[in-house]
Amino acid sequence: HRSGILSSKAERAHSTMMNADMDAVEAENQVELEEKTRLINQVLELQHTLEDLSARVDAVKEENLKLKSENQVLGQYIENLMSASSVFQTTDTKSKRK
């Protein structure tokens, strides 16, 4: 009878240890799952940030091209004004000295 009690206690102890091991594995899996979820969310956030930055770079490039074009037009306009104005005409200093 005594061996039956010991084996029953051993079985319960073994069962308790197995349950503890399974709980530990489940807890570890839960931690891993939470970490994976956190990393996935972080990657998605970084992807959205990258998309936003790429869109901003494209907008800045377009604005830069527009401003370059406007600067060329203004530069040509100023050049035309200067060539039409007598104030900016080059003078021939040799002919004035004679």
Side-chain angles (χ1 to χ4, degrees):
H1 177 68
R2 186 167 172 91
S3 67
I5 293 173
L6 288 178
S7 72
S8 178
K9 285 184 180 180
E11 286 174 5
R12 277 184 282 174
H14 180 71
S15 176
T16 302
M17 288 175 55
M18 291 283 290
N19 286 339
D21 288 346
M22 289 175 63
D23 289 345
V25 168
E26 285 180 23
E28 188 176 321
N29 287 342
Q30 184 65 30
V31 168
E32 285 180 14
L33 181 61
E34 288 171 2
E35 180 67 8
K36 285 179 184 178
T37 302
R38 188 186 68 76
L39 289 173
I40 288 169
N41 288 335
Q42 190 175 8
V43 166
L44 291 172
E45 184 179 333
L46 289 171
Q47 283 179 338
H48 291 133
T49 301
L50 180 59
E51 289 170 0
D52 292 344
L53 288 173
S54 293
R56 178 72 179 128
V57 166
D58 290 342
V60 168
K61 282 181 180 180
E62 286 180 30
E63 183 68 17
N64 187 34
L65 288 173
K66 179 182 170 188
L67 290 173
K68 278 184 180 182
S69 176
E70 289 176 4
N71 282 343
Q72 286 176 339
V73 170
L74 288 173
Q76 187 63 47
Y77 177 73
I78 291 169
E79 204 174 294
N80 291 343
L81 285 177
M82 288 173 60
S83 65
S85 172
S86 60
V87 174
F88 295 105
Q89 295 298 318
T90 57
T91 55
D92 189 352
T93 55
K94 290 182 184 177
S95 62
K96 285 189 175 182
R97 287 186 186 162
K98 286 184 183 177

